[in-house]
Amino acid sequence: MKHFDSNVEYIKYLVNKEIASRFFKGILTEEEESFQEIAKAIIPGPKAQFRCCIYKERHIIEDRVRLALKPSKDDRVINVLDSACDECPIDRFVVTEACRGCISHKCKEVCPKHAISIVNHRSYINQEICIECGRCKEVCPFNAISEVKRPCVRACPVKAVEMDDNRKSRIDHNKCVSCGSCVYQCPFGAIVDKTYIKEVLNLIKESWSNTNYKVYAVIAPAIASQFPEYKLGQVFTAIKNLGFYDIAEAALGADMVSLYEAKEFAETVGEMGWKTSSCCPAFVDFVKRHYPQLMSHVSTAVSPMVAVSRMIKYQHPDAKIVFIGPCTAKKVEIKQNDIRDAIDIVLTFEELQSVLDAKNINIGELEEMPLGPSSYYGRVFGRTGGVTEGVIQAKEIQNIDVNIQPVRCNGLDECAKALRLAAAGKLNGNFIEGMACKNGCTGGAASMCHATKGINDVTQYGKAATSANSLEALGDFDLSLIQMEREYDKA
């Protein structure tokens, strides 16, 4: 049994595994009775495992299964399960013992709602009136006012998570970039990403052993950090044994993107002054929603996932493609108008583990299949700094005379800072590598392993490449045969 970072991750695993198991047995239905059966199978009782009682636990499991098997509201990927939300009874701002009862009363004077009064020479916050603006904390000369945020609110880098009138979490989907940070950080598992396990298994089943059409799995480079106890060739064999016709590395798509992006950078940076990468869908959506005036600086290169998938479909017109990776935002990316032709469904690493176990595939007993022709530079796209390395080598091997001065951003907070500096003409560089997740894709919200060690795992995966550079990885394939340029939708 795999070790899970938390019980939240374990519960998600159990639900997905039970759904996959029932699919393989031919007994999975979308009836309410089936939801109840799954909940009882996972929470048999008589004692509760995680909540106050088995009935609460089963109710939450039923809601999880319902979201997995039924369409989500407005086709959303990131959703809140009201039944699971703890309504965290947290007072965000509280006066601590450090209050000295000073006579200036700056906290009281600055409060726009008059929520602060002085009781026995000490400040007191009326939580019924407080709107959590934080002005009192900012002006207190003794730092005597503490701030405690809900985990989901603190996790969201774009301030898309807020509270409704019942103190339940609510997502502002006009701000949300589907990075999944709140999904990973919510300690009650109340925020979840919509799973498409059933759709993936149906796609494989209806291929009739790949005779009706061929189903390919495109694997993200971050896979190198997910199954450290096995050889990567064994993991690829395990995935193929789920019924896929063949496996392709998204890293080869990264080689393609590097070559395209280096040329685009050289052709446009003189006019634009600076450019950003475009391989991370959450970062692109972040710019689109929060800095729309800067979208012209974002590279028009498709993501590696799209590039290699279009390559496969050019070579095999009957292909269907499932992308497997650590990213919840990929589930949104594939629905966008200009690239919806490339990928059919997305499966996350978390979901992959569930399906492999549901089919009783023992990875350690399998033979290794050979990996693809991608280069070191394509493979290291899976960690912070990899995109920059890839684009720089691509400009060198194509003899492009341009000076790339990279600014590597590790997480959306650093991305926002770099974008503000660039907009003000103060950026110390001309190429922003935008990564929404800390440590890059190895830290993706739907990863099974989020340890910093994943950076080294991906680097070692890169060093095992047999192709010396991105051009060699592509062989004699003509990149101009596929559409590498994006036409971004409006937010």
Side-chain angles (χ1 to χ4, degrees), residues 34 52 141 221 240 308 321 357 359 408 448 457 486-487:
S34 180
C52 59
K240 192 172 187 295
V308 74
I321 296 177
D357 289 351
K359 202 166 184 180
R408 300 170 182 84
M448 294 179 295
D457 292 335
R486 289 211 58 180
E487 296 178 7

Side-chain angles (χ1 to χ4, degrees), residues 15 19 30-33 35-36 38 58-72 81 83 194-195 198:
V15 171
I19 289 172
E30 297 181 8
E31 303 299 325
E32 291 293 322
E33 289 183 2
F35 303 165
Q36 295 167 7
I38 292 174
R58 288 174 180 172
H59 178 49
I60 294 171
I61 296 296
E62 288 175 28
D63 282 349
R64 281 184 169 275
V65 177
R66 189 175 293 107
L67 179 62
L69 299 182
K70 299 274 191 178
S72 57
L81 294 181
S83 59
K194 165 74 174 168
T195 181
K198 181 188 71 173

Side-chain angles (χ1 to χ4, degrees), residues 151-389:
C152 54
V153 172
R154 185 173 64 248
C156 183
V158 296
K159 296 180 173 56
V161 182
E162 51 194 29
M163 303 302 110
D164 64 15
D165 293 338
N166 297 315
R167 296 181 74 97
K168 297 279 189 182
S169 293
R170 177 176 60 197
I171 297 173
D172 184 343
H173 290 277
N174 292 318
K175 296 179 180 178
C176 178
V177 297
S178 304
C179 67
S181 181
C182 57
V183 176
Y184 177 58
Q185 294 294 342
C186 176
F188 288 93
I191 306 180
V192 297
D193 56 306
K194 165 74 174 168
T195 181
Y196 298 94
I197 283 179
K198 181 188 71 173
E199 288 80 358
V200 170
L201 297 180
N202 262 328
L203 188 71
I204 295 173
K205 178 182 178 181
E206 293 171 4
S207 74
W208 295 102
S209 298
N210 293 292
T211 58
N212 187 25
Y213 49 78
K214 296 178 176 65
V215 187
Y216 286 78
V218 170
I219 315 296
I223 190 75
S225 66
Q226 296 301 295
F227 297 88
E229 63 271 41
Y230 305 115
K231 296 178 180 179
L232 197 53
Q234 291 179 308
V235 177
F236 276 39
T237 300
I239 295 171
K240 192 172 187 295
N241 286 355
L242 289 174
F244 290 100
Y245 177 77
D246 204 357
I247 307 294
E249 296 176 284
L252 183 60
D255 282 315
M256 300 162 72
V257 169
S258 293
L259 295 168
Y260 175 90
E261 199 160 315
K263 288 183 178 179
E264 182 197 34
F265 180 87
E267 293 169 358
T268 59
V269 73
E271 176 186 356
M272 302 304 301
W274 56 275
K275 297 285 290 185
T276 82
S277 60
S278 60
C279 60
C280 173
F283 169 73
V284 173
D285 207 21
F286 174 63
V287 181
K288 188 189 305 180
R289 293 178 182 276
H290 297 271
Y291 298 89
Q293 73 278 13
L294 303 180
M295 273 302 294
S296 60
H297 293 271
V298 178
S299 169
T300 62
V302 298
S303 67
M305 171 189 76
V306 174
V308 74
S309 298
R310 283 182 171 165
M311 180 184 187
I312 293 170
K313 288 190 173 182
Y314 174 83
Q315 296 171 326
H316 306 279
D318 66 337
K320 302 287 185 181
I321 296 177
V322 176
F323 176 77
I324 302 177
C327 181
T328 55
K330 288 292 185 186
K331 296 180 179 182
V332 176
E333 182 186 8
I334 66 169
K335 301 177 184 180
Q336 294 170 355
N337 291 329
D338 65 319
I339 53 177
R340 62 172 63 243
D341 64 295
I343 306 291
D344 293 275
I345 311 174
V346 167
L347 194 70
T348 67
F349 289 149
E350 288 180 324
E351 295 158 354
L352 171 64
Q353 178 75 65
S354 302
V355 177
L356 289 172
D357 289 351
K359 202 166 184 180
N360 297 313
I361 294 177
N362 189 331
I363 303 175
E365 295 179 352
L366 301 176
E367 294 184 2
E368 294 181 69
M369 68 178 290
L371 306 183
S374 59
S375 77
Y376 164 88
Y377 300 98
R379 292 179 175 182
V380 296
F381 260 54
R383 49 97 167 139
T384 300
V387 178
T388 295
E389 290 182 51

Side-chain angles (χ1 to χ4, degrees), residues 2-48:
K2 179 176 176 59
H3 171 74
F4 294 91
D5 287 351
S6 68
N7 282 332
V8 170
E9 196 174 88
Y10 180 54
I11 292 169
K12 183 189 294 188
Y13 162 82
L14 291 175
V15 171
N16 289 336
K17 181 184 175 184
E18 186 67 22
I19 289 172
S21 295
R22 286 171 172 261
F23 183 94
F24 291 134
K25 294 174 183 176
I27 59 173
L28 182 66
T29 72
E30 297 181 8
E31 303 299 325
E32 291 293 322
E33 289 183 2
S34 180
F35 303 165
Q36 295 167 7
E37 290 173 0
I38 292 174
K40 288 181 180 179
I42 295 174
I43 309 293
K47 292 184 178 181

Side-chain angles (χ1 to χ4, degrees), residues 16-154:
N16 289 336
K17 181 184 175 184
E18 186 67 22
I19 289 172
S21 295
R22 286 171 172 261
F23 183 94
F24 291 134
K25 294 174 183 176
I27 59 173
L28 182 66
T29 72
E30 297 181 8
E31 303 299 325
E32 291 293 322
E33 289 183 2
S34 180
F35 303 165
Q36 295 167 7
E37 290 173 0
I38 292 174
K40 288 181 180 179
I42 295 174
I43 309 293
K47 292 184 178 181
Q49 299 180 43
F50 309 109
R51 301 274 183 162
C52 59
C53 66
I54 61 172
Y55 306 105
K56 173 76 169 177
E57 290 183 336
R58 288 174 180 172
H59 178 49
I60 294 171
I61 296 296
E62 288 175 28
D63 282 349
R64 281 184 169 275
V65 177
R66 189 175 293 107
L67 179 62
L69 299 182
K70 299 274 191 178
S72 57
K73 182 180 179 182
D74 297 327
D75 198 28
R76 292 170 182 165
V77 168
I78 307 298
N79 300 270
V80 177
L81 294 181
D82 285 347
S83 59
C85 183
D86 188 54
E87 306 168 30
C88 301
I90 295 174
D91 294 330
R92 182 170 174 182
F93 293 98
V94 177
V95 179
T96 70
E97 292 299 317
C99 178
R100 302 296 300 150
C102 65
I103 62 175
S104 64
H105 300 159
K106 289 183 179 180
C107 55
K108 179 182 178 181
E109 299 302 324
V110 79
C111 180
K113 292 296 183 180
H114 307 294
I116 298 181
S117 55
I118 308 301
V119 179
N120 294 328
H121 303 291
R122 290 172 53 84
S123 296
Y124 168 79
I125 300 176
N126 185 337
Q127 300 296 340
E128 298 297 322
I129 304 175
C130 176
I131 60 172
E132 301 184 348
C133 66
R135 296 180 187 178
C136 56
K137 175 179 171 60
E138 293 174 1
V139 300
C140 177
F142 293 102
N143 293 320
I145 299 178
S146 68
E147 178 181 10
V148 180
K149 290 184 180 180
R150 284 184 173 213
C152 54
V153 172
R154 185 173 64 248

